[in-house]
Amino acid sequence: MKAVVFHGVGDIRLDDVSEPKIEEQTDAIVRLTASAICGTDLHFVRGTMTPMVEGTILGHEGVGIVEEVGRDVRNLKPGDRVVIPSTIACGYCSYCRAGYYAQCDHANPNGSDAGTAFFGGPQTSGPFHGLQAEFARVPFAHVGLVKLPAGMTDDQAIMLSDIFPTAYFGADIAGIDDGDTVAVFGCGPVGQFAIASAKLLGAGRVIAIDTVESRLEMARVQGAEIIDFNAEHPVEAVKRLTGGIGVDRVIDAVGVDAVRPESGPAAKESKQQKAEFERELEKIAPEQNPDGENWVPGNAPSQALAWAVESVCKAGTISIIGVYPEQARTFPIGQAMNKNLTIQMGNCHHRKYIPHLIDLVQSGAVDPSKVLTEREPLTDVIEAYKAFDTRQPGWVKVELKPSGQTAAGA
Ligand SMILES: NC(=O)c1ccc[n+]([C@@H]2O[C@H](COP(=O)([O-])OP(=O)(O)OC[C@H]3O[C@@H](n4cnc5c(N)ncnc54)[C@H](O)[C@@H]3O)[C@@H](O)[C@H]2O)c1
Ligand SMILES: [Zn+2]
Ligand SMILES: [Zn+2]
C-alpha cells in the first residue's frame, strides 16, 4: 500500500509499504477513506519534535471503514464507518476511566511514564505507524474507534479525529465562562477550531492573533477580532481592545514553531531577543534540514508563550495546546506567578470529546468542514505538505484522500 514515510528531518516520501495485520486481539484494521496533515507533522519534518524513528508512517488523523477486528473488539464489525482518535489509549486504566486518555498507563510501549501514545509520532510516543496511508492498524479498537452517524461526510469527520477535539479541549481547560474575552494565538486549523470552541463554550469576545492574511480572514469571518503581529504589537493591541485589562483566557494554538515579528512595533523588541531565541532553538532542534523555503523551524520557540502571559489579565488562565517538545525549557514563570495565573496544558484526550462533537455537528451547531480548504489525493501528498508547511495563501487545512478520490463527502 502507499503511505507517507519519515526518512529523516526534512525527508519524507510516499513509499510502497506492506499492509498492516492484526497483532493483538484488541486491534482493528481500518481502510482509510480520509486522512489529513497536522501542524504537529510539520514539527517532526522541521526537526523541532524529536526523535522520530526512520521508517515510521506519518499521520494521526483518519476516517475509514473497518476491514477486520480482533476477537476482543466487541462493539464493531467489518463495514462500520469510523473516525480514529489521534491518541491511543487502553480504555481500562484509571487514567482512561477518568477521561485522561492522553496519559493512558498501558498504550505507550515505552512505559506508563513515557507520555502520550499516538499514531505516527516520535520514538517516545510508541512509535506507532500513522494514518497517512491506505490501511492502518488501530490498537485498543474498542475505544480507539468511534462509529460515525450516516449523515456525516468525510470532510466533517476528518476534523473530529484531532484538530476539533484538540481545540475544544483547549477551550475546555481554559475554563471559559459565559461572556469571557478569549485570545487565541495562532490561526492555523487548530486556532480556527479554538475560536469556534471558545464561542461554543460561551465566550463573549474572541481576539485572534497571527500574521497569515488568509488565516486571519477566516478567523474574522468566524467573528473573531483579528490582530496581525507584523503590523501591530499584539500585546499592546490586546490591552487597548480590552480597556487595558487584558483577556480573561488565552489559548496558545501556535506551539514550538512560533516565529517572531519581522516588521511593525513588535519587531524591535523581538530583535533584542533574537540571540536568546536562537539559543532556545539550538537546544530544541539541533538537527535541521531545510530545503529552500521548506522545513524551516520557527525562529522564536517561546514567543507565543511570552505574549500569552503578557496579554492575559491578572488571575487569568492560559491554556497551552500548541505542542512543545521536552527540550523546550523557556517560559516566563516569574511574570506568570506574580500575576496569579492559572496554566493548563497538554495533549488532547481525543476520545473524551469526540462523541460530544459528533452530536454538535449532527445538530448543526457547527460545520467543521468550513475549515477544510484543500482536498488532495495521497499521490500528491509531498507537494501538499510543502504548501501547508509554508502556509501558502488559502491553505488552512489539508485533507488527504488515500484511495485517490477527491470528491467532497463520503
Ligand atoms: N495538544 C494537542 O493534542 C495537539 C493536537 C493537534 C495539534 N497540536 C498543535 O497545535 C499547534 C497548531 O497546529 P496547526 O495544525 O494549527 O499548525 P499550523 O502550523 O498550521 O498553525 C500555527 C499558526 O501559528 C501562527 N504563528 C506562528 N508564530 C506565531 C506567533 N508568534 N504568534 C501568533 N501566531 C503565530 C502561524 O502563522 C500559523 O498560522 C501545533 O503546535 C500543533 O502541534 C496540538
Ligand atoms: Zn495533530
Ligand atoms: Zn488507559
Side-chain angles (χ1 to χ4, degrees):
M1 65 168 185
K2 296 263 182 242
V4 183
V5 176
F6 182 91
H7 284 271
V9 172
D11 182 5
I12 53 168
R13 302 177 208 163
L14 183 66
D15 285 348
D16 280 308
V17 299
S18 49
E19 285 178 17
K21 291 193 171 57
I22 298 271
E23 292 173 19
E24 306 284 342
Q25 289 308 328
T26 44
D27 288 351
I29 301 296
V30 174
R31 178 173 59 83
L32 291 147
T33 55
S35 186
I37 309 174
C38 179
T40 303
D41 300 324
L42 299 178
H43 302 321
F44 306 146
V45 193
R46 292 171 184 157
T48 47
M49 186 85 198
T50 56
M52 290 294 291
V53 175
E54 190 182 344
T56 303
I57 297 174
L58 290 173
H60 52 264
E61 293 168 87
V63 171
I65 311 286
V66 175
E67 285 275 310
E68 196 185 342
V69 294
R71 190 165 47 87
D72 286 343
V73 181
R74 309 296 175 92
N75 53 346
L76 295 162
K77 65 174 182 7
D80 283 344
R81 191 161 161 262
V82 289
V83 56
I84 309 175
S86 298
T87 45
I88 301 170
C90 75
Y92 48 77
C93 74
S94 57
Y95 282 92
C96 285
R97 289 180 193 204
Y100 292 99
Y101 293 97
Q103 295 301 331
C104 172
D105 269 341
H106 290 131
N108 195 325
N110 299 298
S112 58
D113 287 337
T116 307
F118 65 100
F119 293 98
Q123 193 274 326
T124 46
S125 71
F128 291 90
H129 281 309
L131 309 178
Q132 290 165 4
E134 291 178 276
F135 294 89
R137 180 179 77 91
V138 177
F140 306 109
H142 51 276
V143 290
L145 293 173
V146 183
K147 261 173 93 167
L148 286 166
M152 194 173 292
T153 65
D154 273 16
D155 289 3
Q156 293 174 318
I158 193 63
M159 303 297 173
L160 299 180
S161 190
D162 179 25
I163 60 170
F164 191 6
T166 292
Y168 197 85
F169 159 73
D172 183 21
I173 60 176
I176 296 170
D177 290 323
D178 274 347
D180 275 354
T181 298
V182 180
V184 176
F185 281 87
C187 296
V190 173
Q192 298 295 336
F193 278 109
I195 296 166
S197 301
K199 285 168 57 188
L200 284 166
L201 293 176
R205 292 172 75 189
V206 181
I207 299 176
I209 302 104
D210 202 303
T211 193
V212 180
E213 210 181 312
S214 56
R215 295 181 172 202
L216 284 170
E217 181 56 18
M218 186 184 268
R220 197 189 60 76
V221 168
Q222 283 206 67
E225 301 168 48
I226 57 176
I227 298 171
D228 176 353
F229 64 73
N230 273 309
E232 287 176 285
H233 194 302
V235 178
E236 286 167 14
V238 164
K239 286 281 171 88
R240 195 170 64 249
L241 292 170
T242 55
I245 296 168
V247 294
D248 303 295
R249 322 281 166 205
V250 175
I251 300 172
D252 167 6
V254 179
V256 62
D257 280 311
V259 297
R260 57 186 195 81
E262 304 289 346
S263 63
K268 198 169 154 224
E269 171 192 278
S270 178
K271 206 169 170 189
Q272 290 162 0
Q273 297 165 328
K274 189 168 175 264
E276 228 171 287
F277 285 138
E278 281 168 358
R279 277 194 296 276
E280 273 177 47
L281 191 59
E282 266 168 43
K283 290 223 172 72
I284 288 169
E287 190 197 346
Q288 302 176 19
N289 190 14
D291 174 12
E293 301 259 280
N294 277 115
W295 325 132
V296 181
N299 58 10
S302 60
Q303 178 68 89
L305 294 172
W307 284 343
V309 171
E310 288 173 49
S311 316
V312 75
C313 69
K314 294 184 288 181
T317 306
I318 295 179
S319 157
I320 304 169
I321 51 170
V323 161
Y324 295 88
E326 285 184 24
Q327 309 90 285
R329 295 288 169 101
T330 309
F331 182 82
I333 190 71
Q335 219 180 345
M337 187 273 168
N338 283 290
K339 282 177 87 169
N340 282 56
L341 300 188
T342 299
I343 318 288
Q344 284 277 4
M345 63 191 108
N347 292 316
C348 178
H349 310 296
H350 295 89
R351 184 59 174 77
K352 174 179 174 182
Y353 294 98
I354 290 173
H356 175 58
L357 297 180
I358 288 176
D359 288 346
L360 280 183
V361 175
Q362 283 290 92
S363 74
V366 53
D367 178 4
S369 65
K370 284 192 174 148
V371 174
L372 183 66
T373 52
E374 318 297 321
R375 295 170 190 85
E376 299 290 328
L378 191 62
T379 44
D380 293 347
V381 63
I382 307 300
E383 287 311 307
Y385 254 93
K386 287 181 172 174
F388 180 56
D389 174 51
T390 49
R391 299 172 183 135
Q392 292 300 308
W395 283 68
V396 178
K397 184 68 182 178
V398 191
E399 178 182 4
L400 298 170
K401 284 293 187 187
S403 43
Q405 86 276 17
T406 49

